[in-house]
Amino acid sequence: DDRRVLNGIFWVLRSGAPWRDLPDSYGPPTTCYNRFGIWDRIMDAGRDAAVQMIEPRFNRIPEARDLSRRPRFQRSSSHSTNA
């Protein structure tokens, strides 16, 4: 059952437990682990494709390239004092 396996993946990610400690109610740990690996590769490919689609658009806007060079201002906290 795909939903059971997906819930198993979420359980491991949320709990931080090793795959071998996955409760039996979520299915075999190897199945959850393998499906997570596939899902992770798909998400990486999707992210890379999105970056490739967006990146040329940013190169046309001069401000987007210079974002890291803009000065950053810190707001002073109401708790700070100059004593």
Side-chain angles (χ1 to χ4, degrees):
D1 180 21
D2 290 336
R3 182 175 294 211
R4 183 174 68 154
V5 170
L6 188 59
N7 284 330
I9 292 169
F10 291 147
W11 184 88
V12 168
L13 294 175
R14 187 175 48 246
S15 69
W19 292 100
R20 67 179 175 273
D21 292 343
L22 183 71
D24 292 335
S25 60
Y26 296 116
T30 52
T31 301
C32 292
Y33 175 79
N34 291 337
R35 297 244 185 113
F36 174 72
I38 293 168
W39 184 39
D40 191 41
R41 286 192 298 274
I42 289 170
M43 296 305 287
D44 283 345
R47 185 191 68 241
D48 293 343
V51 167
Q52 288 175 359
M53 288 172 37
I54 292 170
E55 191 174 53
R57 293 180 186 155
F58 280 126
N59 288 335
R60 293 182 205 147
I61 304 170
E63 295 83 18
R65 284 181 282 178
D66 298 331
L67 284 177
S68 62
R69 296 183 194 150
R70 291 185 181 182
R72 294 184 179 171
F73 299 98
Q74 281 187 321
R75 292 185 178 180
S76 61
S77 172
S78 62
H79 300 289
S80 64
T81 61
N82 293 331

